[in-house]
Amino acid sequence: MNRMVRKLLTLNHLEFGQDALTEEPFDICEMLTTLLNSSALEMQKKEIKVIKQYPVSCMVIGDEFKIEEVCTNYISNAMNHVNGDMRICVTLEEQEDTVKITVANTGDPIPEDSLDKVWIKFYKVDKARTREYGGSGIGLSIVKAIMDAHKQPFGVYNTAEGVAFWFCLKKAPKEETDVQENENDTGSME
């Protein structure tokens, strides 16, 4: 009950703009690896195979603490709903100015008429199954509020094998020092 009250307070602060963003550069790949490593034991117990399709490093702009909440929610939802081949795939796709992060799991698809409703506070696609792992129906509402505050797109879609949740963030600009170092590097061209 305590956890649900904290989540509701967090959601309320986000929805009413009382929780300001601290947008700074951070390494999204490092965050994903840390979160997956912290879940590794539980994933081993459930015999979940994790597929990581992202580079060693990728700098983005955002509120690191709040984006960690988004990633944590997506990963825990994937762990709670995975079945079939028991696979979770975390991918990062670099686009021109943005980065798209996707967390997909094998398992039952979300009914098409529920895809746009999963972001609604307390909405649960399968109420009986949600009770199995203690889901509150608030996590994806918090994701929506965080991504709305970042003014970045996010969503969910069914795949041939299960479900994929995604969000985008702005790429961090290359540091001027990186450019200067490259200009000063006058390696031999012989």
Side-chain angles (χ1 to χ4, degrees):
M1 186 64 127
N2 237 356
R3 202 168 76 217
M4 188 188 317
V5 169
R6 281 196 309 272
K7 284 187 173 188
L8 280 170
L9 287 172
T10 299
L11 179 60
N12 196 29
H13 285 280
L14 286 165
E15 287 179 337
F16 291 101
Q18 297 168 338
D19 197 359
L21 292 180
T22 305
E23 293 190 274
E24 298 176 337
F26 69 94
D27 190 335
I28 189 70
C29 296
E30 182 180 310
M31 175 188 288
L32 291 169
T33 298
T34 300
L35 292 172
L36 290 169
N37 287 343
S38 69
S39 301
L41 189 59
E42 187 178 347
M43 289 193 196
Q44 284 176 340
K45 284 182 188 175
K46 293 183 175 186
E47 298 180 4
I48 298 170
K49 180 180 180 187
V50 178
I51 300 160
K52 301 174 191 175
Q53 297 178 326
Y54 54 85
V56 173
S57 179
C58 181
M59 297 300 289
V60 295
I61 298 282
D63 187 312
E64 186 172 1
F65 178 74
K66 289 178 177 65
I67 295 302
E68 183 175 346
E69 178 79 20
V70 172
C71 294
T72 299
N73 192 286
Y74 279 4
I75 291 168
S76 66
N77 279 353
M79 288 171 54
N80 291 326
H81 293 286
V82 68
N83 60 38
D85 288 344
M86 300 300 286
R87 278 185 289 117
I88 293 175
C89 185
V90 180
T91 61
L92 183 144
E93 177 186 342
E94 290 192 54
Q95 299 164 346
E96 191 171 323
D97 296 328
T98 60
V99 172
K100 181 179 181 181
I101 297 92
T102 304
V103 178
N105 63 277
T106 59
D108 299 328
I110 296 173
E112 289 296 321
D113 63 342
S114 292
L115 282 172
D116 60 338
K117 296 176 186 162
V118 298
W119 312 105
I120 299 170
K121 194 178 342 182
F122 302 119
Y123 185 81
K124 298 179 183 180
V125 175
D126 183 346
K127 291 161 186 53
R129 185 147 182 247
T130 303
R131 274 194 298 272
E132 287 175 21
Y133 66 85
S136 63
I138 301 170
L140 291 175
S141 299
I142 291 173
V143 167
K144 179 184 183 325
I146 290 170
M147 295 315 301
D148 285 348
H150 279 83
K151 296 178 176 54
Q152 292 298 313
F154 62 97
V156 59
Y157 59 91
N158 289 318
T159 67
E161 299 176 314
V163 178
F165 283 87
W166 61 273
F167 68 96
C168 292
L169 288 172
K170 289 183 256 179
K171 279 186 188 176
K174 294 281 186 192
E175 295 293 326
E176 286 183 36
T177 55
D178 291 344
V179 174
Q180 289 172 351
E181 285 175 17
N182 289 336
E183 288 173 357
N184 292 334
D185 184 13
T186 57
S188 176
M189 299 279 294
E190 295 175 29

